[in-house]
Amino acid sequence: MELNIIGDDEVEILLRDLIEIYGYDFTDYSRASLKRRINRIVLIGKFPSFAELRYKLKFDPDFLKEFIEQITVNVTEMFRDPSFYKTLREEVLPRLGTYPLIRIWHAGCSTGEEVYSMAILLKEINLYHKCLIYATDINPTVLEKAMKGMFPLSQMRKYSENYLLSGGKKEFSGYYSANYEFAKFDDALREKMIFSTHNLVCDRSFNEFQLILCRNVLIYFDKNLQARVFSLFDDSLENLGYLALGTKETLRFSPLAARFRQIINAEKIWRKIA
Amino acid sequence: MEKNSIAPFPLIVVGGSAGSLEVILSFLPLLRKDLKVAILIVLHRSSDPDPVLQSLLSSKTSIAVKEAEEKELLMKGVIYIAPADYHLLIEKDFTFSLDYSEKVNYSRPSIDVTFEIAAEVFKERTTGILLSGANTDGTEGLMAVKATGGTTVVQDPSTASVPYMPQYAVSHAPVDHVLKAADIAAFINSQ
């Protein structure tokens, strides 16, 4: 049985340390998931008590990186929710084709699987050459992985299925070469990608985009932070731009909902209309 | 910070895997219409979103059946289904959270994860019911339910089409009631 060494009060103490020492503010993250993640760190790192964990976090900046990586969820996959990618391919991206330069922002991109999926879509509909894909995450370690474009070979069967279900017509294995237990994706897919750290809690808008994707990030935020992030996205979206969220996330209850229209009922993609 | 207040009503979490759907379909029509509890159903199933499950369960009862949505406040008298491919969590203010972290016991949603968080939030007002399945998911969660003063129930393995999961729980966790599939409705109605 998973022992909860870290109780509610300990979580709050750690969050306060993170702000005071490192300037990372997680206080508007949903607590249930955060607490599970921290207890998982305790379990995996075999910390005998809260005091050891707190000490290491305070005085070991290398551990901080690891801690941030572990408390944020970095599980992702290529062409996750194939019907979502099918809608991007068939409905959304073709409408962006008329822009001379298409700017896309993956906010909270984690290790980049969905960014490479996007690059493949753009290649296949011949828009890649005039795109810029900004991929950001709070966490520098996952961005380093994303830049490498190397994903476990063991996942390729699943990703290939997802790709085909999303309307892909090519041989998926043509996009990577096998390198021991990793699939190394074509450098050509990375040419238009720009990776940078960005913290949705405190960093501002840095450009105007035609498409913003932020999938399975907002589920970890409380209502206030969700509202702030929605207005950040609103500020960062051109009129008629698109906002794409995760399968279980919605703009419906946001005060900004009136300025957006969901493009089709089944997918969590909204278009800014005012 | 959200303070943990006393749960306003009891919560029953039903966890099932292979062979559990038929049990759920058989007890749903027998449930009293004025449920005094909230019911949360966590089923192992394919990761594809499956709207068929909700309509299938709805067709068996007049009680409201809906998929749990993130930030939604739990209400008594409602049957919630854990969405496919997310862990289902509960916050201290009795709202749902979803979590797309690593699978637990090869499963997402994991029964252990929801049992454990239910125990943490609803404490002694939590009942965990573990049904048929071929996995060990649910056993640790039942221990957590028991540890916070809740009630643990397991489907009698001899009435389960896949007895491994309930049998594992009976052998490893403190179980208050081992119930035949046919007696589960009466148990829920008595809560």
Side-chain angles (χ1 to χ4, degrees):
Chain A
M1 177 184 163
E2 221 171 284
L3 271 175
N4 277 352
I5 286 188
I6 308 299
D8 298 331
D9 295 344
E10 286 80 14
V11 171
E12 300 310 314
I13 293 170
L14 290 177
L15 295 188
R16 204 126 303 281
D17 287 351
L18 283 173
I19 295 182
E20 281 167 15
I21 308 170
Y22 300 109
Y24 276 114
D25 184 356
F26 287 95
T27 51
D28 292 330
Y29 276 54
S30 295
R31 289 300 188 274
S33 176
L34 210 50
K35 188 169 160 195
R36 264 195 84 226
R37 306 298 298 172
I38 297 175
N39 275 300
R40 189 170 171 271
I41 293 172
V42 168
L43 207 69
I44 292 171
K46 300 194 167 59
F47 286 94
S49 76
F50 170 64
E52 271 92 354
L53 174 69
R54 188 180 186 200
Y55 185 86
K56 193 162 170 70
L57 189 59
K58 267 185 149 170
F59 298 108
D60 182 351
D62 286 337
F63 178 65
L64 169 79
K65 265 191 168 179
E66 198 186 317
F67 187 82
I68 302 292
E69 186 179 350
Q70 291 300 327
I71 60 171
T72 52
V73 171
N74 285 299
V75 179
T76 174
E77 62 184 57
M78 291 188 78
F79 295 96
R80 168 152 199 221
D81 311 316
S83 68
F84 168 81
Y85 279 92
K86 199 172 170 60
T87 307
L88 282 185
R89 183 194 290 272
E90 290 169 4
E91 309 282 331
V92 175
L93 297 178
R95 290 198 168 80
L96 298 179
T98 52
Y99 289 94
L101 174 65
I102 306 167
R103 284 184 306 267
I104 297 171
W105 178 18
H106 283 264
C109 69
S110 187
T111 41
E113 280 83 339
E114 297 208 51
V115 188
Y116 285 82
S117 309
M118 174 65 80
I120 289 171
L121 286 189
L122 291 165
K123 285 274 186 197
E124 293 188 356
I125 58 172
N126 289 319
L127 292 176
Y128 188 79
H129 60 284
K130 58 172 182 174
C131 285
L132 277 179
I133 310 174
Y134 293 78
T136 67
D137 201 275
I138 183 177
N139 184 342
T141 322
V142 294
L143 287 173
E144 282 163 27
K145 291 181 190 163
M147 276 180 237
K148 291 199 181 106
M150 289 171 73
F151 305 123
L153 203 53
S154 56
Q155 296 294 319
M156 290 306 131
R157 218 176 101 188
K158 164 86 173 150
Y159 294 174
S160 173
E161 276 171 26
N162 283 355
Y163 164 78
L164 292 172
L165 288 170
S166 79
K169 300 272 189 291
K170 300 203 170 171
E171 197 62 55
F172 185 66
S173 58
Y175 288 109
Y176 63 84
S177 45
N179 194 338
Y180 298 98
E181 62 268 37
F182 286 96
K184 167 91 177 68
F185 278 77
D186 275 356
D187 288 338
L189 293 172
R190 219 173 43 225
E191 276 167 19
K192 304 287 186 177
M193 294 179 189
I194 299 164
F195 294 95
S196 168
T197 56
H198 182 279
N199 184 346
L200 290 167
V201 173
C202 55
D203 291 338
R204 294 185 193 181
S205 174
F206 56 96
N207 212 327
E208 273 215 325
F209 300 92
Q210 284 91 32
L211 170 60
I212 298 176
L213 302 101
C214 183
R215 307 187 69 222
N216 294 304
V217 175
L218 295 167
I219 49 174
Y220 303 109
F221 293 173
D222 73 11
K223 272 188 183 157
N224 293 331
L225 181 53
Q226 282 185 354
R228 273 164 31 221
V229 172
F230 279 138
S231 80
L232 169 68
F233 289 158
D234 186 35
D235 292 342
S236 311
L237 258 189
E238 267 185 18
N239 200 14
L240 298 180
Y242 293 89
L243 174 63
L245 305 176
T247 316
K248 301 298 171 194
E249 294 162 332
T250 184
L251 192 61
R252 197 171 62 209
F253 305 112
S254 157
L256 294 171
R259 301 154 58 85
F260 287 80
R261 186 172 48 81
Q262 196 168 356
I263 61 162
I264 45 170
N265 282 336
E267 299 297 339
K268 298 301 174 64
I269 305 175
W270 282 262
R271 192 168 201 191
K272 185 168 168 179
I273 48 172
Chain B
M1 171 187 165
E2 297 145 356
K3 276 286 165 202
N4 196 5
S5 43
I6 303 291
F9 48 80
L11 174 68
I12 297 179
V13 185
V14 179
S17 191
S20 66
L21 184 59
E22 60 200 63
V23 181
I24 294 169
L25 293 177
S26 70
F27 76 61
L28 279 179
L30 305 174
L31 296 184
R32 56 193 283 188
K33 307 296 171 265
D34 57 338
L35 272 184
K36 300 286 188 279
V37 300
I39 297 180
L40 201 48
I41 296 177
V42 182
L43 274 187
H44 292 166
R45 52 186 168 131
S46 91
S47 63
D48 305 319
D50 182 9
V52 181
L53 180 64
Q54 184 182 333
S55 33
L56 178 62
L57 300 190
S58 295
S59 72
K60 298 291 177 187
T61 174
S62 59
I63 301 167
V65 177
K66 71 181 299 295
E67 189 172 279
E69 294 182 69
E70 67 117 11
K71 305 281 185 287
E72 179 179 13
L73 184 66
L74 275 93
M75 309 274 272
K76 75 172 174 186
V78 179
I79 298 172
Y80 299 94
I81 309 169
D85 212 21
Y86 288 83
H87 295 305
L88 183 61
L89 305 180
I90 304 167
E91 301 290 338
K92 294 284 154 67
D93 60 359
F94 310 106
T95 59
F96 288 117
S97 274
L98 301 178
D99 177 307
Y100 189 67
S101 58
E102 297 78 1
K103 291 182 177 182
V104 174
N105 304 318
Y106 313 100
S107 309
R108 190 174 50 223
S110 144
I111 300 166
D112 274 342
V113 166
T114 305
F115 275 169
E116 283 167 11
I117 195 85
E120 216 185 302
V121 176
F122 279 77
K123 303 223 158 61
E124 69 280 1
R125 306 197 83 179
T126 308
T127 299
I129 304 182
L130 191 65
L131 306 177
S132 171
N135 184 305
T136 61
D137 199 15
T139 294
E140 288 196 358
L142 286 179
M143 294 181 198
V145 169
K146 192 69 197 165
T148 50
T151 307
T152 54
V153 179
V154 171
Q155 180 186 352
D156 183 340
S158 69
T159 70
S161 63
V162 185
Y164 185 82
M165 194 160 85
Q167 185 59 57
Y168 191 85
V170 169
S171 318
H172 294 86
V175 176
D176 297 314
H177 308 281
V178 177
L179 296 180
K180 293 191 177 66
D183 296 334
I184 292 174
F187 174 83
I188 294 176
N189 285 337
S190 72
Q191 299 299 299

